[in-house]
Amino acid sequence: MLRVAVVGSGPSGVYTAQALVGQDAVPGIRVDVLDRLPCPYGLVRYGVAPDHEKIKSLQGSLRAVLEDERIAFLGDVEVGARGLTPARLLELYHAVVYCVGASRDRRLGVPGEELRGSFSATEFVSWYSAHPDAVHEGFDLDRPGAVVVGAGNVAVDVTRLLVRRTEELAPTDIPQAALAALGASGVREVHMVARRGPAQAKFTTKELRELGALPDTRVLVDPAELALDPAYADPSGLPAVNRRNLDVVRGWATAATPSPATAPTGRTVRLRFFLRPVEILGEGGRVAAVRFERTEPDGAGGIRGTGRYEEIPAGLVLRAVGYQGAPLPGLPFDPARGTVPNAAGRVLRDGVPSPGEYVAGWIKRGPTGVIGTNRPCAKETAASLLADAPVLARRPVAPDPVAALRALGHEPVLWTGWQAIERAEAALGGALGRGPVKIPDWDGLRGAARQGQPIG
């Protein structure tokens, strides 16, 4: 029997497990999917916005994989500096596939970034997604202005959530504290700011259009900023998605300016382009405004500063400027790329494949692509592992990895424990007059999981 550990239960990890058991090359293979959290599904549970129910429904297909009798979910098992080392994992399994994503946010690198009210977009997403590591004291939403720095789907998500109405979010699984805070928010205007033009923006058209469909919300774009983009007048040379994006922002810029929203919940989203943040300004230790430098195309595909500046008042700043892979102690790491060096998923130590060690997902290729991109990536890694299986299977490993983990002081949350969490979240939502509502803290998740764990 070949025993494999997959570290990470997001799409990359689940697709890897599926690819491993979906081939007949290794009869009797068993795959344990380990996760630091008591809950599976990774960013599908903790990164997809609560109002994106179609994408969140992907959990159903991931569930079907994890319920395969050849695959076991082991939650609340940490791998890394505070948990199992890669060397120890190789004592328990013939092979280990690391699908740990890119966990670090890129920073702006400007003065004032540490002021109260300045956060990464990921921190905000974790809060409204009920991640147990989230900032539980919440966010300062009492001032009318907010700035989101970035021009990708994460920037669009957090902008949309800042202006969503409570009644639109109540049917989702957003935690109660976040729902209440967003409902009481004083934010009335959100500036989503990009340092380049709309032709270079990374958001998808569907996400972008959702901003224009929000009730009681107007989206404004300055035609003068759009005109700075060389591709704006003639987008024929752009990829299709960028051309569609330009069509959307062109419609917002050329439409007659709507009358100010008169409903109490009326809010405004302003899409700003060719502005580069240079400083976050504070007052009393808290964010008060963001200072931007106007940029312009440099004629070589990049941008340059113009020496002209603008300040945008804000009580909240969220940066959504990308992710970086973080080193996992015990594994080699390429800091320039933010990935583990590999060849077709095989981990390379000093340029040589390390027997039994593999990677898939963002830690393999960098933070690129969409959820579906992980499937071919996982299949490539699985193919490498299965080709190595005859040699890997010769090495003796622990006969019962779960028992070995418990002997090392871990108490894995099994699939029955996850099902108990689901029941507890359904009960919590029922008590609040809502559908299932996420449990947002470690104690709550672990306590719920214990109700479904087998004894011993």
Side-chain angles (χ1 to χ4, degrees):
M1 177 185 293
L2 184 73
R3 290 194 175 274
V4 180
V6 173
V7 181
S9 68
S12 177
V14 175
Y15 292 154
T16 298
Q18 183 180 39
L20 288 170
V21 303
Q23 302 183 42
D24 298 327
V26 183
I29 189 171
R30 292 293 181 269
V31 180
D32 288 350
V33 179
L34 282 58
D35 203 291
R36 186 177 73 87
L37 299 172
C39 310
Y41 311 138
L43 287 179
V44 177
R45 175 175 167 92
Y46 288 118
V48 175
D51 58 342
H52 274 177
E53 295 182 4
K54 184 175 181 180
I55 302 176
K56 290 176 73 68
S57 68
L58 178 62
Q59 293 183 25
S61 61
L62 300 181
R63 169 188 289 275
V65 176
L66 292 174
E67 288 181 333
D68 189 297
E69 61 181 8
R70 297 164 293 178
I71 298 173
F73 171 71
L74 304 179
D76 205 2
V77 177
E78 184 159 4
V79 176
R82 295 178 298 176
L84 293 165
T85 64
R88 180 56 63 89
L89 272 177
L90 280 178
E91 295 174 3
L92 306 182
Y93 296 93
H94 295 107
V96 182
V97 186
Y98 295 92
C99 306
V100 293
S103 58
R104 291 191 305 190
D105 295 283
R106 294 186 183 276
R107 300 184 64 82
L108 298 176
V110 301
E113 199 165 3
E114 303 302 327
L115 286 168
R116 184 163 60 91
S118 170
F119 298 93
S120 71
T122 299
E123 289 175 295
F124 191 66
V125 171
S126 294
W127 172 67
Y128 67 59
S129 297
H131 195 292
D133 289 340
V135 181
H136 287 297
E137 61 267 26
F139 292 78
D140 297 321
L141 302 176
D142 56 329
R143 298 190 182 182
V147 166
V148 176
V149 181
N153 282 346
V154 174
V156 175
D157 277 350
V158 298
T159 296
R160 190 181 66 255
L161 265 290
L162 281 169
V163 297
R164 270 286 193 202
R165 299 184 304 182
T166 304
E167 55 267 34
E168 295 171 309
L169 292 173
T172 74
D173 61 3
I174 188 171
Q176 189 67 17
L179 179 66
L182 290 170
S185 171
V187 174
R188 291 294 176 265
E189 185 169 70
V190 181
H191 291 251
M192 190 172 79
V193 187
R195 62 188 180 90
R196 297 197 294 173
Q200 294 81 43
K202 300 299 184 182
F203 34 65
T204 56
T205 310
K206 177 180 179 296
E207 294 260 355
L208 185 62
R209 284 175 175 153
E210 287 178 348
L211 291 176
L214 295 172
D216 300 325
T217 300
R218 54 181 181 167
V219 181
L220 303 180
V221 183
D222 185 348
E225 291 182 349
L226 299 184
L228 293 172
D229 194 324
Y232 183 64
D234 180 16
S236 58
L238 295 175
V241 65
N242 301 81
R243 293 199 304 271
R244 291 193 295 268
N245 289 342
L246 282 177
D247 286 341
V248 173
V249 297
R250 180 180 286 110
W252 288 333
T254 58
T257 302
S259 59
T262 57
T265 56
R267 293 170 182 175
T268 300
V269 172
R270 294 184 184 272
L271 270 60
R272 306 295 309 275
F273 298 99
F274 292 106
L275 290 173
R276 176 170 56 197
V278 295
E279 185 177 4
I280 299 176
L281 306 175
E283 185 177 281
R286 176 179 171 179
V287 169
V290 184
R291 192 170 193 237
F292 292 91
E293 181 183 18
R294 169 67 65 192
T295 62
E296 63 182 10
D298 63 5
I303 56 169
R304 62 191 170 209
T306 64
R308 302 192 304 274
Y309 297 89
E310 174 182 340
E311 292 180 10
I312 299 177
L316 174 70
V317 176
L318 300 175
R319 65 178 185 274
V321 290
Y323 301 93
Q324 293 175 306
L328 190 68
L331 283 183
F333 187 71
D334 179 350
R337 299 188 60 196
T339 59
V340 170
N342 71 92
R346 294 181 177 93
V347 171
L348 300 178
R349 292 182 181 271
D350 298 322
V352 178
S354 176
E357 295 185 310
Y358 304 84
V359 285
W362 280 2
I363 200 63
K364 171 186 174 183
R365 67 180 191 274
T368 60
V370 295
I371 290 175
T373 311
N374 291 296
R375 193 179 290 276
C377 175
K379 286 182 176 179
E380 179 187 57
T381 295
S384 295
L385 192 158
L386 292 173
D388 300 340
V391 174
L392 297 174
R394 298 173 191 163
R395 186 170 53 82
V397 296
D400 185 347
V402 174
L405 287 171
R406 287 174 174 154
L408 292 170
H410 300 272
E411 188 52 54
V413 171
L414 307 181
W415 191 252
T416 54
W418 159 239
Q419 291 174 315
I421 291 174
E422 289 185 302
R423 291 193 296 270
E425 293 184 336
L428 173 60
L432 295 168
R434 300 172 55 194
V437 171
K438 287 181 182 173
I439 297 171
D441 61 282
W442 281 100
D443 289 344
L445 290 170
R446 286 170 172 156
R450 283 194 294 269
Q451 302 303 310
Q453 295 277 89
I455 298 174

